[in-house]
């Protein structure tokens, strides 16, 4: 499987989490579509099937990630 460059993953994670923090899922149709597009892209880039798993996988691939830290998996 091809792996996305860490800079690309970081950008996707930052965009998605920013929209999530702003509760974009309750926003305009355009903003909701952007959030859905980011979720799909994260899933493809990480080879996962849902955005929560994709976020965990992406964060584990970023520089400085600690492979033994699976605390995100409990949420």
């Amino acid at each position: 499987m091809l792996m996305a460059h860490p800079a690309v993953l970081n950008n996707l994670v930052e965009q998605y989490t920013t929209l999530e923090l702003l509760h974009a899922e309750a926003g305009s149709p355009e903003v909701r579509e952007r959030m859905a597009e980011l979720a799909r892209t994260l899933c493809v880039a990480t080879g996962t099937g849902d955005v929560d798993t994709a976020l965990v996988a992406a964060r584990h691939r970023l520089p400085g990630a600690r492979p033994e830290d699976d605390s995100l998996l409990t949420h």
Side-chain angles (χ1 to χ4, degrees):
M1 176 172 101
L2 291 176
M3 298 296 231
H5 190 278
V8 172
L9 287 176
N10 187 51
N11 183 280
L12 291 169
V13 169
E14 284 183 7
Q15 286 185 60
Y16 187 86
T17 54
T18 298
L19 289 174
E20 192 173 45
L21 287 171
L22 295 171
H23 303 285
E25 66 277 1
S28 71
E30 293 83 9
V31 173
R32 288 194 313 268
E33 177 56 33
R34 178 63 183 149
M35 197 168 183
E37 179 182 303
L38 286 165
R40 286 189 300 272
T41 304
L42 277 163
C43 288
V44 169
T46 58
T48 59
D50 67 86
V51 71
D52 293 325
T53 305
L55 288 167
V56 170
R59 287 180 178 126
H60 278 289
R61 292 184 189 158
L62 295 177
R66 297 178 313 193
E68 68 279 359
D69 181 11
D70 63 354
S71 59
L72 292 174
L73 297 175
T74 61
H75 289 109

